[in-house]
């Protein structure tokens, strides 16, 4: 019985490939922390604009909806 192609791990990675993948992984981990701060700030701004739109004026509500869309895009970009 033969092993399916999807289960075959292939040849082992070369040293330069391992270094490059490790560098990419390190960069992704470092950006995750800064992206979390950005997402939290966008969430806070969006909620503040929505609240201002509900209680103060409708143009703020539109700005809040735009900010919510940006916040959702920032969360889903990962």
């Amino acid at each position: 019985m033969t092993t399916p192609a999807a289960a075959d791990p292939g040849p082992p990675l070369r040293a330069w490939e391992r270094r490059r993948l490790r560098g990419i992984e390190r960069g992704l981990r470092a950006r995750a922390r800064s992206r979390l701060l950005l997402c939290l700030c966008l969430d806070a701004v969006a909620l503040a604009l929505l609240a201002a739109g509900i209680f103060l004026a409708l143009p703020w509500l539109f700005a809040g909806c735009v900010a919510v869309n940006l916040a959702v895009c920032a969360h889903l970009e990962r």
Side-chain angles (χ1 to χ4, degrees):
M1 181 171 170
T2 61
T3 306
D8 183 24
L13 295 175
R14 292 185 212 121
W16 68 271
E17 291 172 323
R18 284 192 304 272
R19 281 192 305 272
R20 184 168 179 175
L21 288 174
R22 214 173 300 126
I24 292 171
E25 181 185 356
R26 229 178 285 125
L28 288 174
R29 268 189 270 144
R31 268 187 257 148
R33 288 185 212 115
S34 62
R35 289 190 48 73
L36 177 64
L37 182 61
L38 172 70
C39 287
L40 291 176
C41 289
L42 277 174
D43 291 342
V45 168
L47 288 174
L49 286 172
L50 286 175
I54 291 170
F55 296 113
L56 297 177
L58 284 179
W60 290 102
L61 186 63
F62 176 73
C65 291
V66 172
V68 166
N69 284 332
L70 289 174
V72 167
C73 289
H75 280 287
L76 294 179
E77 189 176 329
R78 291 186 235 166

